[in-house]
Amino acid sequence: MRYQPSLTPLVLAVGLSLAACSDLLVENPKGFTTTDTFFKTGADLNSGTLAIYSALRGFEGQSNWTTPELASDQTRADNREPNAGTYGPDRLTWSASSGRAIVPFGTHYAVITEANLVLAKGPGIQTSDTLTKAYNLAEAKLLRGYAYLRLTKMYDGVPLLLTPEDQANPSPTRATVEAVHQAVIKDLTEAKAGLPVAWSGDDGYGNPTQGRVTKGAAEMALADLYLWRSSFMGKNEWQLASDWADSVIASGLWSLNDDYIKTFLPSNKGNPEEILVITNSGVVDRTSNIFQLFYYPRDWGLDAGQGGGWGLIHPTDWFLNSYLPGDYRGSRGFEGYKTDSAYVAGGCGLTICADTLGDGPMPYKYRKSDNGATWWLGDVDVPLYRYAEALLIYAEAQNELGNTGVAVQYLNMIRARARKGTGAQARTQPHDYGTAGEAMDKLSVRDAIFMERAWEFAFEAKRWFDLVRRDSEEPGYWKNSLIAHDPSFDQTPPNPKPLPDEYKKRWPIPQAQIDANPALCQNPGYGGTACPPGVTAP
Amino acid sequence: MTYNYPAMMLRTGLQANQGISLSGGDQKLRYLISGNFARQQGIEIGSDFNRYSVRLNLDGDASSRFRWGSSLSMTRVARNAARVENGSLGNSANGIQAAMQFAPFQAPKDSTGNWIKTSPSTEPVPNPIANALEETDLNTTSRLLGSVFGELALSPSLKLKGTLGGNFQFDGIHFFAPRTILDGGNSGRGWMYTGQGRNLTSENTITYARPLGPGNLDLLGGFSVQTWYDESVTATAAGFPTDFTNVYNLGSGSQLYPPASGVSEHALISYLGRANYNVADKYLFTLTGRRDGSSVFGANHKWGFFPSGAFAWRIGDEPFMQHQSLFSDLKLRLSYGAAGNQAVDPYQSLSQLSVGWVASGTTEIPAMTLGGLMPNPDLHWEQKTEFNAGLDGALLDDRIAFSLDVYRSKTRDLLLLVGVPVTTGYSQQLQNIGSIQNNGVELSLTTVNISRPNVTWRSTLTLSHNANKVLDLGTRPDSSGRAVPVLQLPPFSPRTGNFFDPPPGDVYVVRVGEALGSIYGYQVTGLWQRGDTGAACYLTDKTACTPGEYKIADLNRDGQITANDRTILGNSQPKFYGGLSNTLTLGRFSLDALLNFVYGNKVINAGNAYGCLDIMQANERTCVLDHWDSTHTNTMVPRPNRDRTRSLYSTFVEDGSYLRLQTLTLGYDLPAGLLFGGAATARVYVTGQNLFTITGYTGFDPDVNSQGGDPRYGLIDIGAYPRSRVWNVGVRATF
């Protein structure tokens, strides 16, 4: 072909446009930032810290919350609930590949991931607000320590990952429980040193601070950790549990409300009994809980927006009858949304009434401001640690150390508050322990403390862990309690239910996680690879 | 008094389609203008579909060297389809599925004329008639497609062509649920969505043709750029003073929801070259190469190179073929080449931060959290290499024409979403892993059975067979760190619907050695009977062999039925499929019949998890009348049991094979005497579509795909919109 001069401008034009075009292939997302462009300022660090609280909200979801609730002997599912997946935890129906007991594994690592990101990127940030920066790093340590503590209570040893680089490893192995606890102790102790005693009204970046963690939360978590280690793992660390509980008590920052129910009312957010909570705004579903579905009666319209819920979590008959007669915490009213009792046994929701609820009284301590008009907008702050638990941990530790008198004294502080009823009453029950001829030996007082914990922390997802840890101190306790108290394991003829399997005290590592990472070993009873010593409970 | 809800949901719908086109021109300018209007009333009440389109094509020769053309089309589609298909169980059931689950003794309206909102079943179902008639769900799409090209012949052998095109799309959704139905809550709820997108293309080629040696060489070189840009906004509100304003005054809602918006962009750049060498019109050689760059891949992996080559031999033109009379034409085609796939969402290679929310008091605070998929900076092109051999021919003086293709293709670096350990902080990552193979045969056979002046009869048979197999899924380190091959990806669940317990109900699996779309569940071998005690009951817990319950195969022989006893129950890939069409003309009459068939695929009839499992949570199908009881033991329907888990049992996996008379058309060409209005030709016709289907599938229609195009998801029927039988009457005339 003869060269045509008129081709020159054409070739040039094409060549230039080719050079400019490859910029088109570089992605510049507009709707989101990336980890490379973020974490540059103090405000970024604060936002990243708030992200840990956002992940914490997962603990109030259906699988995380209703599993320990229903699995305990304190609660049972509604006998009209049709979905096996929903009432499954009540019958301990879970395995490595199905059921809800495997879900918390992922929920807790979401908290740990955000905390690791803050602790990795935080120290390098230059900001003038060094106070909030120090608080943010301490908050991350507390929430990370708390998440690992909860993981060990559910699953025993888990992969211990403390940096984003650790997390990028596709095949981490499960660390021993001792290794995880030592990391938790380090995190919580450093958090306690770095956290504020209380937050001012503003976190330095214009955000309200109700719900942000304080020194008290670190102290509670440490008390809880040593209580678990002493009871479940048989280590004699009762003095440490007692000391940490005492530092909460002696700080003078916290106190018991006169009215037990008032602790949980949305109008009372941030009251001096709440040490660690999951905050809920009730404004939009992304910052609200769905406790209406779990606790509000089915008889008031299921989840059709008429004021009811699934009515999923009922007290067992044993538990309902265990309250001392007249105990405010076991009181039941018949006026629907107008009652000031701890349980509702009949009456009207918003539009539907039932003289008596079809399957018995329902717990009524989580009261939404809108009285059930919108089930997806729950504004009750979900309690994780309350001051009452500091008193009872102190009492239990003192009892185990042999100081029965001190133990009973602190136990009775809880009872005294319950006697105040709606605040200014003077009920006779629950009477002070020891004034009606009760035995004062260690075992009887331990029994009384555990029962007090059941009454005090009813429907706060704590009873399951009490059953499991006391089982180490008194073998058979877990199984016998479930058989005696939970209708799912009722042995009366002619149709005795299957017995609970001992291995179910530990929850299974999700099979999907083992499929993605075969280096993970499995807890006994669920199949899979057995773990090296120290990873699972002996 | 009972109500037949499925019958109340369905109706006979009318449809109409009108089109007109005008074309003409001369040497210098040719044009085509056409318009089309189609409207259709859906067979489910409350659903309908309208489409208007206009097209203008121009093609001109500005000079002997410069040719240009332009094409412009505008389309508008409006569709009303409130809760008509798919969905889930109970509260989320839609369309026909909801109608089947609704309690038949419950009237749709109460004594005061208000809609009853839910069915009083254990798992309440919303009133499907109320939803279909009261809910607004208007989806509109307006599209403007235009392109213009210019072709300049620099010399008789050298041509330049440039094309510029644009595709502008505007989508809208108006959704409103009034307070009279369950979805509307106390005082109505609605949202409005607007999306717009533009796709711009510029393609430029240069072609050069000249003789070379014994044949002619044809070269093409080209360069094209395509960009896509999409943005969308959604506004939601609830609590309106009146349902009258529907969704058109969202500011009047007392309950505000946060708005949503988004933008997405991506681009594709390609360089291509092709050489065709034609020797005597008998031997044709082609060689092509493409270099494509896509923005969706990782920073250093944007580009891919895809070559291919082909050879064709017109055997029928060879001298030795002139002395035989069997083959009137024969052509051999061979090709081998690579093609790339980049059809994934953009931004998957980046480490995205999304927004999480925290409450403090009644205030909401946004927080930057890790979001999306685990970033993959090594994300690159998926590549398919295919070898194809084909033979086209005609026999017996063109009375029989056939085309046979055999192909083998292997797709490597498959773009798949893979589960990653949650300890990484993410749950999934888009990776290039594994390879799959597709081998198949396609045959097309056309016979001219009768060919006389007044009577003709032609038949065409098409038959295809494709064998798909997963070859490998990459490797991963085992517990000691060695790389071992991955044999199976973790089972996964359908994209929508909550049919199978416990959530998520995993029903599909991707396994090496099997085809994609493998269905994974429990093999049911029968029902336990009263005599099955002792050794006949192979479970450790003897109380689990309850008479009347499903007898599930204990495949790992551990005495328990657990998730490890699941197995592949079938596959959604058919063994073969095709069609047979016959055209018969008799004078002015013509008769066309098209039969199509699919054989050997399996479909999950998910609706039976609520309809035939005898769990009494909502209204069930008549199959439960055949349930087991002590006097009627010869059945596969188990005894009533509210607590039976809704797992994927093999009884839900049905044969999806079918033979369907897809269209039957009888037409008549009007003779000159009957032509009207100066028409040059006119034809009247009657067409029936979907006249009969022969199938063993117990759902509405076996040709169902509620999951969309991803081949990993097999065929599942979660209440798909029922297929209708249509009768059309029409006229076509040219003037």
Side-chain angles (χ1 to χ4, degrees), chain A residues 345-394:
Chain A
C348 295
L350 290 178
T351 49
I352 302 179
C353 299
D355 283 340
T356 320
L357 296 182
D359 194 18
M362 299 282 321
Y364 194 47
K365 73 188 223 180
Y366 297 119
R367 302 181 185 195
K368 305 164 71 237
S369 308
D370 70 357
N371 281 336
T374 45
W375 61 259
W376 58 93
L377 296 181
D379 58 351
V380 172
D381 282 354
V382 172
L384 296 176
Y385 283 133
R386 295 194 282 117
Y387 180 60
E389 192 164 3
L391 296 171
L392 284 170
I393 291 179
Y394 186 73

Side-chain angles (χ1 to χ4, degrees), chain A residues 13-90:
Chain A
V14 170
L16 286 170
S17 55
L18 290 188
C21 273
S22 9
D23 286 345
L24 274 179
L25 298 184
V26 176
E27 290 191 302
N28 287 317
K30 293 191 164 67
F32 57 87
T33 53
T34 62
T35 49
D36 300 321
T37 54
F38 199 65
F39 284 111
K40 300 275 186 278
T41 66
D44 293 347
L45 183 63
N46 193 43
S47 183
T49 309
L50 286 167
I52 315 174
Y53 289 90
S54 177
L56 195 74
R57 300 177 49 72
F59 296 174
E60 68 184 19
Q62 184 175 354
S63 293
N64 274 267
W65 188 263
T66 69
T67 305
E69 274 282 85
L70 287 173
S72 75
D73 64 347
Q74 187 179 65
T75 61
R76 64 172 172 84
D78 192 301
N79 58 24
R80 296 159 290 186
E81 175 56 54
N83 281 299
T86 307
Y87 62 65
D90 190 23

